[in-house]
Structures are given as structure tokens and as C-alpha cells.
Amino acid sequence: MLTSLFGDLGSPNDPRGRARRAAEGPDFAATAILESTATEVSDQGHMVDKHTRDLFVTGSPSEAIRQQLKATRADLETATRQITLFDPARMWASSVIKALSDASGQPIERLHLRHQNTLATIALIERTALPRRVEDPLKVYHTDVRDSSSDAQSIPVALMESSHLTAVVIAPMPTSALEQIVGMLNAAARGANWRCPTLLFMLSTPVAQMAPRIAAMPWPERLNVMVTTEPMTSASAVWNNVLNVWNKVKGVPQWDGAELRATLGENDFPIKVADLEPPITGKVAARAVASSPADKPATSVRVDAARASLDSTRMLRALDQLMQVEGMLACCVVDSSTGMVLGSQRADEADDLNVELAAATHTEVLKAHRRASREMGCGDRVDEIIVTHARRHQVLRTVTAHPELFVLAVLDKLRTNLALARFKIMDAEKALS
């Protein structure tokens, strides 16, 4: 008996395997599995086993996944165990899997689906498991499809169908490609095999304008669709947004499932990954965008309007006006939850100035000031921070209407009237409101 990520697969000579394949039909056959294990030391000092399996198949690999999940998963009716990451641009999902494995010390299991005749890779499926104190481990999947055939492209859908949460990570891409992905998912959600109760779209800031169009799609009534706009700068930021949503919806049963299970408290999940990346990239967990399942109408689509409400045209206009200030070297608008630059301008003579580094550094400065302010009993509101060193002033001004954002201006100390510059920065902050 041979083991894959999806249960036990019999060898060709195994009578039990022959009997099952006869019952399942001719769409799928597993001929052999080659397995290897390598032990590595993670960034946190854990000894982590990396399991790799090669599964040689004929027929339909997506149908094989459906059959194996149906045969081996006893929890398909309740939302307790599986999250699938769908990352069409291949930017973040694999990094999230690795970061979770490093943080938890759990192995990464990799399954290579290969054509039996050509040995060409159809897809690479990665999985890691996260331990939980009360329940079975939570399994996080990601599929990297290497084959352009329509059946190979259906492999991620086969995993989504039996997941309890599907997180679609949308990196910058052409609008036409994004519309095609959304249309494909809408069609899949209407299929007979779809059982996933929650579909989360995580839009990076450059494609935030697609949020209303996704919300306007005719999604199935029972599907819980959420749309967030997130500045994605690290694997930890991506995962923390997924985790926040999971903690809100994990008690929602799958379609045609059992009654709504009692939802455990948010603190039952032991791994909130906030330190997987260097501090400069931002460590704070993304803000939850959904209320409790009991408060949610069955037909609604939730859009994270707070993050999407910043007008990009207004922001660029405010930055252009700031650049007219005498001695202004660079200015930008920054998300303090991640340290990501949402928009920036830089003078030609300041080509040595790393705006992204300055933004990330001042994100940590702002956090430190807010923490100190709370400890002194003054609350966590910080209006302005001015840092002066040898040649430059750096002025940080928080945005009143968007507490998670701040304006950062870097000025030439010898050419700038700091008092006048501060008034101009205040005007820019008000313009963003």
C-alpha cells in the first residue's frame, strides 16, 4: 500500500488497488510513487523534514484528487481542517507554506503529479500542517500547475472544492487576466462538486479597483465571499490576513453539511505568524474584515471598504504638491500595518534615497512611539514625529481619516524651512482625508 497526500493508493499488483480502481472507473490510475526525505534546519532552528513524492498517473489527475478526498477525508462536512491558497501569479503561496513550516517545525509535504508516459510534471502540490490545541491539525495546501491542459488547470479547483476556506491571492496583473480568474472561480463555485463555504479574495493594492466588480458577480447564495485590499510585502502579512478571516469563519459548515458547529475562541490557534520575515518588511497581522458568521446574511459579499477607500488620484495629487516644497527630496504614503509604500515621489537629485527602506524604518518608529504613548497613559494616537540627522529632516504625519496610514517626507536640512514644510505636510494629510 502506497501513501500520498490524499490517502492510500494501491500499487498495480495490489488486489485492493485493482478493485478500487475498477469501482472508480478508468479516469485515474496510480502506477508508482517515488519518495524521498531530507532534513533541513529552519530559520528558527527547528529540524524540519522535507517530504517529496512523485506520483505517476494516467487519466485525469483532478478527478483523482476528488476521488481520494472523498474516500479518505472524514471531515468533509465540517469546517475544521483545510485551507487552500490559490496564487495565480506564484508570488506568495509557496513562501507562506515554507514560513509556516519553519515556524511550527512541521514538515512540508510535496507531491509531484507526473504523466506516466512522458514523466513531465503536471503540478506540484505542497502541504503543511499546523498543530492546534483542541482540534486536529489545520492543513494548508498550495498547487503550482505546470501543465497548460484544461484538466491540469482544474487541479487547484479540485482542492478548493473540499476546503473549508479558499484564499485567492491576487498580485498585480492585467485586468483581463483577473476577470478570467474570477469568472473561472464563479463557474467552479456553481459546480456540483463545490463544497467550500468561504471564498476570500486578497487583492494587492494595485488591483484594488477590482473589488466592486468581484462583489457584483452573481455568486451562489450560500457562498460566503469576502474581498480585502492588502499591501502584500511579506509571507507573514499574507498569512495573517488569511488567519484573521479563518478565525471568523472556521465554524461555518460546508454545503450540505452538518449544523453550524460551535466556534472556538480566536485564541485557540497557536500560530499567528508575525516574525517570519525581517522586521523591516512589517510584522503586524492584517486587520480582520468579517464579523461573526452568525451576523452575516447568506447572500452578502463583504468588501474591506476601509482599505479600499483611499483615492489613489487624490493621493498622487497630494504627493505632487508636496514635491513643490523647497528642499523636498522624497515623500510617500505608507501603510503602518505592513510598512508598504502605497504611493511615492522622489526628486532626481535623491536617487540614492531608498524610499521603501525609509518607509519600513519609520513604520517601526511609529509603532515604538505608539507603544510608549500607551504606557504613559496618553493613548496610542501619535500625530507627528520629526527625526533630524546630519543632512536631512524626516517628518512623519499620521492620516486622521485613515489611522493605519501616514505621510513621510524627507527634506534637505540646508534648503528647507521646516516650519513651512510642516504646514504643507499637514495640508497633504488633510487632502488624503
Side-chain angles (χ1 to χ4, degrees), residues 251-293:
V252 177
Q254 290 186 303
W255 295 5
D256 300 324
E259 294 297 322
L260 182 66
R261 293 167 55 101
T263 303
L264 296 174
E266 293 190 16
N267 292 329
D268 75 314
F269 203 107
I271 299 179
K272 188 161 189 176
V273 184
D275 296 306
L276 301 183
E277 308 289 341
I280 198 170
T281 62
K283 306 182 295 183
V284 176
R287 180 175 300 181
V289 299
S291 60
S292 64

Side-chain angles (χ1 to χ4, degrees), residues 85-385:
L85 305 176
F86 181 47
D87 184 8
R90 302 177 180 176
M91 288 189 65
W92 291 115
S94 185
S95 298
V96 169
I97 295 289
K98 181 181 184 303
L100 292 175
S101 174
D102 289 347
S104 66
Q106 297 296 311
I108 296 177
E109 297 176 273
R110 294 184 175 93
L111 177 67
H112 291 268
L113 292 176
R114 299 185 184 275
H115 288 289
Q116 180 183 9
N117 296 328
T118 65
L119 306 184
T121 299
I122 304 171
L124 169 63
I125 302 176
E126 294 183 313
R127 181 186 77 174
T128 191
L130 297 179
R132 294 184 288 175
R133 289 194 295 267
V134 179
E135 300 172 290
D136 292 335
L138 177 64
K139 297 175 182 177
V140 184
Y141 286 80
H142 158 59
T143 303
D144 182 4
V145 179
R146 310 289 179 81
D147 192 307
S148 61
S149 66
S150 59
D151 187 71
Q153 297 299 317
S154 298
I155 294 175
V157 175
L159 283 173
M160 296 178 206
E161 292 169 350
S162 296
S163 297
H164 308 116
L165 170 64
T166 294
V168 185
V169 184
I170 304 297
M173 63 177 60
T175 301
S176 58
L178 179 53
E179 290 178 340
Q180 184 178 2
I181 291 169
V182 174
M184 179 271 291
L185 292 171
N186 187 275
R190 296 179 176 277
N193 295 313
W194 189 273
R195 308 164 73 90
C196 180
T198 303
L199 185 60
L200 168 64
F201 287 92
M202 298 171 55
L203 306 183
S204 59
T205 305
V207 292
Q209 72 278 3
M210 282 295 296
R213 301 175 70 173
I214 294 174
M217 292 284 289
W219 299 100
E221 291 185 356
R222 293 194 61 187
L223 183 62
N224 179 23
V225 179
M226 300 182 183
V227 185
T228 68
T229 301
E230 295 296 329
M232 302 174 193
T233 57
S234 65
S236 60
V238 174
W239 169 249
N240 285 333
N241 187 41
V242 174
L243 175 59
N244 282 327
V245 173
W246 168 259
N247 278 326
K248 297 296 183 180
V249 304
K250 61 185 176 183
V252 177
Q254 290 186 303
W255 295 5
D256 300 324
E259 294 297 322
L260 182 66
R261 293 167 55 101
T263 303
L264 296 174
E266 293 190 16
N267 292 329
D268 75 314
F269 203 107
I271 299 179
K272 188 161 189 176
V273 184
D275 296 306
L276 301 183
E277 308 289 341
I280 198 170
T281 62
K283 306 182 295 183
V284 176
R287 180 175 300 181
V289 299
S291 60
S292 64
D295 297 331
K296 182 188 183 308
T299 59
S300 70
V301 177
R302 294 187 179 274
V303 178
D304 183 6
R307 288 185 180 272
S309 61
L310 181 63
D311 190 313
S312 59
T313 301
R314 182 183 301 174
M315 175 182 66
L316 294 176
R317 186 183 302 119
L319 293 176
D320 285 338
Q321 292 174 354
L322 273 182
M323 289 304 298
Q324 305 306 314
V325 175
E326 178 67 23
M328 183 69 67
L329 299 176
C331 57
C332 58
V333 178
V334 184
D335 187 329
S336 64
S337 66
T338 63
M340 180 177 181
V341 176
L342 304 183
S344 67
Q345 295 276 7
R346 186 174 62 182
D348 293 339
E349 67 267 24
D351 55 358
D352 62 331
L353 177 59
N354 189 330
V355 176
E356 288 75 16
L357 177 59
T361 302
H362 280 78
T363 296
E364 298 302 317
V365 171
L366 178 59
K367 292 176 186 176
H369 276 270
R370 283 175 170 169
R371 183 166 57 250
S373 181
R374 285 194 301 269
E375 292 173 353
M376 290 187 295
C378 302
D380 61 357
R381 179 182 174 89
V382 175
D383 294 325
E384 186 180 69
I385 300 171

